[in-house]
Amino acid sequence: MHDDRSLVEARLKRVLDERIRPAVYPESIPLDVAVWNAPGEPVPVAEGLAGPAEPVAVGDRWGAPWGTSWFRVSGTVPEKWAGRTVEAILDLGFDENMPGFQCEGLVYRPDGSPVKGLNPRNQWVRVAAPAAGGEEVLLHVEAASNPVILDYHPFLPTRLGDKETAGSEPQYRLARMDLAVFDETVWQLVLDLEVLGELMAELPVDGARRWEILRAISRALDAVDLQDVNGSAAAARAQLAEVLATPAPSTAHRISAVGHAHIDSAWLWPLRETVRKVARTTANMTALLEDEPEFVFAMSQAQQFAWIKEHRPEVYAKVKKAVAEGRFVPAGGMWVESDTNMPGSEAMARQFVHGKRFFLDEFGIENDEAWLPDTFGFAAGLPQIIKAAGSKWLLTQKISWSKINKFPHHTFRWEGIDGTRIFTHFPPVDSYNCSMTGEQIAHAARNFKEKGVARHSLAPTGWGDGGGGTTREMIAKAARMRSLEGSATVAWETPGDFFAKAEAEYPNPPVWVGELYLELHRATLTSQAKTKQGNRRSEHLLREAELWAATAAVRTGSAYPYEQLDRIWKTVLLHQFHDILPGSSIAWVHREAEKTYAALAEELNGVIDAAQRALAGDATGGTALLFNSAPHTRGGVAAGAAGPEAGAGTARLQPRDGGGYVLSNDLLKVEIDARGLVVSAYDLGAERETVAPGEAANLLQIHPDFPNQWDAWDVDEFYRNTVTDLTDLDELVPVEDGHTAGVRVVRSFGSSKVIQSLTLTPGVKRLDIDTEVDWHETEKFLKAAFPLDVHAERYASETQFGHVYRATHTNTSWEAAKFEACNHRFVHLEEPGWGVALVNDSTYGHDVTRTVRESDAGTTTTVRVSLLRAPRFPDPETDQGVHRFRHALAPGATIGDAVREGYRVNLPERRLTGSGAVAPLVTVDNDAVVVSALKLADDESGDLVVRLYESAGGRARVRIGTDFDATAVAATDLLERPLTDTEQPELADGAVRLSLRPFELVTLRLTRR
């Protein structure tokens, strides 16, 4: 037989595009349209419905950037359409290639009840089935004219990302506003042909199945009367029935389709717009659930449920009903789909606490899975947190975006730093916006790496980010692939059902140990420095507020601010969303975040001050008290206590031969040369130099920074090829205050200026470095380099509830890919018996490299902290302005010293005058065991909750003493519920004794009399 494949395939494409698809709506009439453009921010629904609308025509321009237009569409169903299915086609000017990234709408009835969303791939609204002739139609559309930020030529700088700079030029043209007859038979024919045509293209050319489908399609196209598609569609479908009915073999790959609409809680739109995106999508999905009995939809992020509960209660009522029916599934159990690299230990825990508690309180549902399809890599401390929250599974697919190494598994157990293992799945469809195309389904089956030992994978299905979610077309395609020869089988299932089946069939999957590093988007550890600083500061202020409020409640009977702290935590957690904290959102988002963090800081400082004043008592004639919020003794004051500060000797400053200054105390001698650079940091006790020979530390370096794409997200390795050392000096002056010794260094470069204070404090082996940068560069990357005389094959970076080790070398492509990585409060390097810590108060990105010196064959290991970037997309003014950072270099530091110094720099001392010392509520007799939170229980019982962890990576025996009337203790999960699968600790003589594994996390609930 002659090979006519290309002939039939070309015929299929043209007939579908030009004849069959247009026949889905064979008859239509225009609707009457009027519009009211709401001034300013979005208005309540009732106000929008009552707005003074004026006539508008198809083809007219509408929609200033970030504006809201209320369209009123009306018409009458023609008598001749009686008994037929009638839909409104409402095209606001959509580009079907951009679902989720442009204008959107939510349709309302005249009484204000929501109908469904309007999106580029979802423009229809069912009017009647069957219709009554003469029926009046009246609908209202709340249309958001969100501008296109990520256009066909992506990553171009734009001022559209902030309402203050976006202008008022209309963005869209009204494209179609019609009533139309919907021919379901033709629509079904379209789906038949699409499914078979897409499947055929994925099958081997030499296989019989491909040719069977080709011949059936050819016969179907022969049966189509191109002059009467509607009259011949049924006959064409009949020609396809047999090939559509041929079942898949039992060995076929099995895909669990989960309806999904990944909605970024902010990104190329502000937070307020996400509220409406969620309302549109959930209105869409609840309507679709009513029409499609097999469909299941999952939505993550408790914050998004809370938004529609508050702002769109009429939509939320439909959601609650669908959740109760088990078909609208709250997924993930987190407050938002957060970044997981940068949030601190407690913040990461609270993501699950607040997310799971919301789902429990609202729906009586507890999630077993963490759902993070789009997060930019996963910290190695996360498995323990997931387990401690009462969950056991994780889903993501983002690692498939890695550019260098292909991850070797799709289903595996992920082991964290403490040994906890979590059953994890990466959907091999490689998308969290699957649209059920044959190409995607075939890719999932081919790509699945567990072939031969497992058969199940998951496909999150639907348009995200305001694209409207799953469509009826996707559901129709999935129905045809329920069992279809040549295709993987597809069935709608909940995430929980998928994971249960996947785990049951694959009880001993491979294990991946350590972080899940995304080999992409590394610059998100640095972009938008003020957002990152706001997050870090908020996390530590919350620690202080809970500690002192709980202490004041127990010691003085002061009221504990439960509701206030709950609200603040949720605000901080929201801003850890994976496009806010990483700095990859539009200017509007980060401008608002800066204001929000400032307001939270003021509020939390008020809570802290009130609690400490209640504890300090009468200040008249009192003594100076140091309040120590850190988890270790400081200034002679115990952790969580207040008392007089102990003296600590002196620090000295003197001129240096050859220029510069020498700072010294009894532990450390630091030399700063005439360039203002640290050329020596000598550990007097160990008789050991810190700075590599011939090198200078605290060396600011600047690189060009123009990645190939994803400007705010990416830094490409070639940035290192060009570097400028900033050694020119404006000013170098000594600074002494009678207690500390230091120097002030001022430099200018480009259009920017930096002022640094390098300070040595008595009694501590640490050089403090305060940096202020007035930053006005563009597409540049600023780092601070510390070349250290340390031979180390690996180094430690703090992560949640512990630290992770990374190689200093690049033996493998996996190690080479980590040329920019994340740390929390410290990076630590050591040789046996001696180490160095570099701590920070707000930076996350860093790199570590090593070289061998020709002079003495010694190893120089250089740590460089990332300070600032200046990408122009999506915020063209990223990081412009004044920034302040605190770092400290701690020579001779053990890992325990690194932990302590990291907390110190993030929890500065507070001092009040008071009547007497304040004893800590809880004491810990092992410095390796760190209290990460001390608070009152969330259920307002008055119980005290203490969360602690082993911080050094070893085993630790610890006595937790209590200085209040504790009557009982229970080990709990993160939600403060007693654990039932572990031996409970005992309270004896006011103390609890524990034996902890490396990095083990424990939550204790202490009952008070």
Side-chain angles (χ1 to χ4, degrees):
M1 182 177 287
H2 297 296
D3 186 349
D4 59 350
R5 285 179 299 113
S6 53
L7 188 68
V8 176
E9 290 165 4
R11 181 188 183 195
L12 171 63
K13 183 180 186 309
R14 185 175 186 192
V15 172
L16 261 176
D17 288 347
E18 297 184 23
R19 292 292 188 270
I20 302 178
R21 286 195 184 98
V24 170
Y25 292 106
E27 299 178 58
S28 63
I29 60 171
L31 288 159
D32 294 323
V33 188
V35 65
W36 174 61
N37 296 309
E41 286 294 279
V43 300
V45 174
E47 186 177 342
L49 296 178
E54 298 181 353
V56 65
V58 167
D60 286 352
R61 299 181 71 193
W62 71 278
W66 307 114
T68 303
S69 297
W70 285 84
F71 290 97
R72 186 180 67 215
V73 296
S74 57
T76 304
V77 177
E79 294 289 349
K80 64 178 181 177
W81 291 2
R84 303 171 77 179
T85 298
V86 176
E87 295 182 345
I89 309 301
L90 307 177
D91 185 345
L92 300 173
F94 297 123
D95 179 343
E96 290 192 3
N97 295 316
M98 288 190 178
F101 298 97
Q102 53 182 293
C103 61
E104 303 167 43
L106 180 55
V107 180
Y108 294 90
R109 298 182 183 89
D111 64 1
S113 59
V115 181
K116 66 184 294 290
L118 294 178
N119 311 94
R121 303 289 183 96
N122 205 331
Q123 303 172 17
W124 59 274
V125 180
R126 181 63 56 88
V127 171
E135 181 178 347
E136 296 296 322
V137 177
L138 176 59
L139 297 170
H140 297 263
V141 180
E142 180 191 20
S145 51
N146 301 332
V148 175
I149 306 293
L150 193 65
D151 215 331
Y152 285 99
H153 186 167
F155 317 121
L156 289 180
T158 175
R159 296 286 176 180
L160 292 172
D162 195 334
K163 195 172 185 179
E164 294 183 354
T165 60
S168 58
E169 188 70 17
Q171 302 288 290
Y172 299 99
R173 289 189 185 275
L174 209 57
R176 185 179 182 185
M177 293 278 166
D178 287 349
L179 272 184
V181 172
F182 175 71
D183 188 327
E184 184 170 355
T185 302
V186 176
W187 182 80
Q188 296 283 7
L189 175 60
V190 170
L191 275 300
D192 289 345
L193 290 169
E194 285 184 355
V195 167
L196 289 171
E198 291 165 0
L199 172 60
M200 179 177 64
E202 300 300 323
L203 294 172
V205 173
D206 57 357
R209 178 62 170 165
R210 177 162 182 159
W211 290 91
E212 289 171 358
I213 294 173
L214 185 81
R215 296 298 163 225
I217 289 174
S218 182
R219 291 193 299 272
L221 295 176
D222 289 342
V224 174
D225 182 346
L226 298 183
Q227 309 308 313
D228 184 15
V229 172
N230 301 87
S232 58
R237 292 199 71 202
Q239 296 297 322
L240 302 172
E242 183 176 352
V243 290
L244 283 168
T246 306
S250 61
T251 55
H253 184 67
R254 299 167 187 174
I255 292 178
S256 297
V258 178
H260 187 49
H262 174 76
I263 301 178
D264 289 304
S265 288
W267 180 28
L268 304 180
W269 48 86
L271 289 167
R272 68 90 155 144
E273 191 56 33
T274 314
V275 176
R276 302 201 297 175
K277 284 178 178 283
V278 173
R280 297 175 199 122
T281 298
T282 52
N284 256 356
M285 295 301 93
T286 52
L288 195 59
L289 286 166
E290 293 175 1
D291 295 339
E292 302 290 348
E294 295 186 0
F295 177 51
V296 175
F297 181 77
M299 188 171 92
S300 66
Q301 306 190 72
Q303 172 69 85
Q304 297 189 357
F305 286 84
W307 274 333
I308 52 175
K309 179 183 180 182
E310 177 183 359
H311 297 283
R312 289 291 192 271
E314 66 283 358
V315 178
Y316 192 63
K318 292 187 173 186
V319 169
K320 287 203 75 169
K321 178 177 180 293
V323 170
E325 293 168 351
R327 299 179 58 216
F328 193 117
V329 182
M334 295 176 67
W335 191 248
V336 294
E337 288 183 15
S338 72
D339 180 81
T340 76
N341 286 313
M342 291 176 282
S345 303
E346 272 305 306
M348 201 73 253
R350 304 299 175 95
Q351 285 286 351
F352 287 91
V353 169
H354 287 284
K356 296 194 78 167
R357 186 171 289 139
F358 182 91
F359 289 159
L360 281 164
D361 291 346
E362 289 292 314
F363 310 119
I365 288 173
E366 180 158 9
N367 304 85
D368 286 325
E369 79 286 339
W371 183 275
L372 292 165
D374 191 32
T375 296
F376 309 152
F378 300 88
L382 189 58
Q384 179 174 207
I385 297 171
I386 293 172
K387 182 179 180 181
S391 298
K392 57 184 179 181
W393 300 318
L394 169 67
L395 178 136
T396 184
Q397 72 84 45
K398 197 68 173 186
I399 302 301
S400 69
W401 286 41
S402 286
K403 292 297 186 184
I404 299 172
N405 298 285
K406 193 168 181 64
F407 197 79
H409 314 298
H410 283 109
T411 302
F412 60 100
R413 292 200 188 277
W414 177 29
E415 181 177 316
I417 55 174
D418 74 310
T420 297
R421 293 181 176 182
I422 294 294
F423 188 83
T424 302
H425 181 67
F426 292 175
V429 72
D430 284 347
S431 174
Y432 45 80
N433 293 309
C434 175
S435 56
M436 281 293 142
T437 66
E439 180 182 12
Q440 289 173 322
I441 299 305
H443 174 75
R446 283 195 300 263
N447 189 37
F448 187 56
K449 296 186 182 303
E450 276 58 59
K451 288 188 282 286
V453 289
R455 286 188 187 148
H456 283 82
S457 72
L458 186 146
T461 302
W463 300 114
D465 284 333
T470 317
T471 66
R472 60 183 178 184
E473 288 78 14
M474 294 174 195
I475 294 175
K477 284 188 167 188
R480 287 159 173 79
M481 291 184 283
R482 186 179 294 112
S483 180
L484 179 63
E485 184 185 355
S487 170
T489 65
V490 178
W492 296 102
E493 293 187 301
T494 67
D497 288 342
F498 160 75
F499 272 108
K501 290 179 180 179
E503 192 169 26
E505 78 167 359
Y506 202 19
N508 295 301
V511 176
W512 180 270
V513 178
E515 65 185 326
L516 294 170
Y517 180 92
L518 177 64
E519 296 171 356
L520 191 74
H521 293 357
R522 302 169 182 86
T524 57
L525 303 172
T526 305
S527 297
Q528 297 288 0
K530 289 183 178 178
T531 299
K532 291 170 171 58
Q533 289 179 323
N535 171 74
R536 179 77 71 84
R537 188 70 182 123
S538 296
E539 289 179 351
H540 289 83
L541 285 170
L542 276 161
R543 172 196 172 87
E544 291 187 83
E546 289 182 338
L547 167 66
W548 299 119
T551 305
V554 174
R555 296 278 184 242
T556 72
S558 299
Y560 189 81
Y562 292 101
E563 292 184 4
Q564 185 180 17
L565 291 173
D566 179 80
R567 171 178 50 78
I568 292 173
W569 261 118
K570 288 173 179 174
T571 303
V572 173
L573 298 178
L574 165 60
H575 286 80
Q576 291 178 340
F577 178 74
H578 66 253
D579 276 308
I580 303 179
L581 180 54
S584 47
S585 288
I586 55 174
W588 190 343
V589 173
H590 294 289
R591 173 172 55 81
E592 285 191 336
E594 185 176 353
K595 293 179 181 178
T596 297
Y597 284 130
L600 294 182
E602 182 177 2
E603 196 172 352
L604 287 168
N605 278 313
V607 172
I608 295 163
D609 184 67
Q612 290 182 342
R613 289 189 181 281
L615 289 164
D618 187 4
T620 304
T623 59
L625 301 176
L626 181 150
F627 280 78
N628 180 15
S629 303
H632 305 93
T633 297
R634 183 165 58 184
V637 179
E645 184 175 8
T650 60
R652 299 169 291 277
L653 181 147
Q654 62 190 57
R656 175 180 177 270
D657 291 343
Y661 297 91
V662 177
L663 314 178
S664 61
N665 59 23
D666 295 336
L667 303 171
L668 187 63
K669 179 182 177 183
V670 177
E671 294 188 34
I672 299 161
D673 72 3
R675 301 170 298 171
L677 301 175
V678 177
V679 292
S680 174
Y682 192 77
D683 180 346
L684 296 170
E687 299 182 345
R688 171 71 185 261
E689 177 59 62
T690 306
V691 181
E695 301 285 353
N698 191 39
L699 172 64
L700 296 176
Q701 297 180 311
I702 197 163
H703 300 265
D705 184 19
F706 189 64
N708 290 343
Q709 57 182 354
W710 297 107
D711 296 39
W713 295 257
D714 282 0
V715 56
D716 289 330
E717 191 172 15
F718 55 72
Y719 88 93
R720 292 177 169 181
N721 297 347
T722 306
V723 60
T724 301
D725 293 343
L726 302 180
T727 57
D728 290 346
L729 190 66
D730 296 350
E731 184 180 320
L732 176 62
V733 295
V735 178
E736 293 183 275
D737 63 4
H739 178 63
T740 63
V743 298
R744 182 172 182 266
V745 183
V746 182
R747 305 183 195 280
S748 298
F749 58 95
S751 301
S752 302
K753 184 176 183 178
V754 61
I755 302 171
Q756 289 190 300
S757 296
L758 282 64
T759 307
L760 200 59
T761 301
V764 295
K765 195 160 39 173
R766 177 188 73 236
L767 176 67
D768 290 314
I769 305 167
D770 292 291
T771 304
E772 178 182 300
V773 187
D774 190 3
W775 180 249
H776 297 285
E777 306 307 302
T778 299
E779 294 168 347
K780 298 289 176 64
F781 198 179
L782 181 65
K783 284 183 170 264
F786 294 81
L788 306 173
D789 189 11
V790 176
H791 176 80
E793 293 185 358
R794 66 177 189 174
Y795 71 98
S797 294
E798 189 183 34
T799 188
Q800 292 98 3
F801 299 112
H803 52 266
V804 62
Y805 286 105
R806 300 187 184 97
T808 61
H809 55 74
T810 55
N811 281 359
T812 71
S813 59
W814 296 86
E815 292 153 353
K818 296 181 181 181
F819 59 81
E820 185 80 4
C822 183
N823 63 273
H824 286 186
R825 287 167 292 228
F826 70 79
V827 169
H828 180 261
L829 297 90
E830 68 177 343
E831 298 173 0
W834 194 86
V836 184
L838 186 61
V839 302
N840 72 85
D841 78 336
S842 60
T843 58
Y844 296 91
H846 70 275
D847 67 80
V848 178
T849 56
R850 66 202 297 255
T851 59
V852 175
R853 301 185 293 269
E854 292 185 4
S855 60
D856 62 356
T859 301
T860 298
T861 304
T862 301
V863 180
R864 298 198 309 161
V865 296
S866 303
L867 298 178
L868 290 166
R869 298 183 68 235
R872 300 180 64 211
F873 182 88
D875 176 5
E877 299 295 326
T878 300
D879 281 333
Q880 301 300 297
V882 176
H883 303 268
R884 294 177 178 86
F885 308 97
R886 295 192 71 198
H887 292 83
L889 180 68
T894 64
I895 197 74
D897 295 328
V899 173
R900 184 185 66 249
E901 293 299 335
Y903 274 104
R904 179 202 62 81
V905 78
N906 283 274
L907 291 164
E909 298 91 340
R910 293 177 185 264
R911 293 176 173 83
L912 287 177
T913 300
S915 57
V918 179
L921 293 179
V922 169
T923 58
V924 174
D925 71 351
N926 186 335
D927 274 354
V929 178
V930 171
V931 174
S932 67
L934 189 150
K935 59 190 282 294
L936 294 192
D938 291 344
D939 62 6
E940 303 187 24
S941 63
D943 290 355
L944 190 74
V945 171
V946 182
R947 188 144 37 245
L948 46 85
Y949 68 101
E950 196 289 318
S951 67
R955 295 188 180 271
R957 297 182 64 82
V958 61
R959 178 186 182 275
I960 301 106
T962 62
D963 188 28
F964 60 94
D965 195 1
T967 61
V969 64
T972 73
D973 65 7
L974 293 180
L975 277 71
E976 301 167 10
R977 303 172 299 191
L979 297 173
T980 59
D981 59 351
T982 187
E983 183 179 350
Q984 284 290 342
E986 295 182 358
L987 180 67
D989 299 325
V992 181
R993 296 183 182 276
L994 298 175
S995 180
L996 302 183
R997 302 185 315 273
F999 301 129
E1000 183 177 0
L1001 161 66
V1002 174
T1003 303
L1004 298 177
R1005 181 171 180 145
L1006 293 153
T1007 303
R1008 295 194 292 134
R1009 192 180 304 279

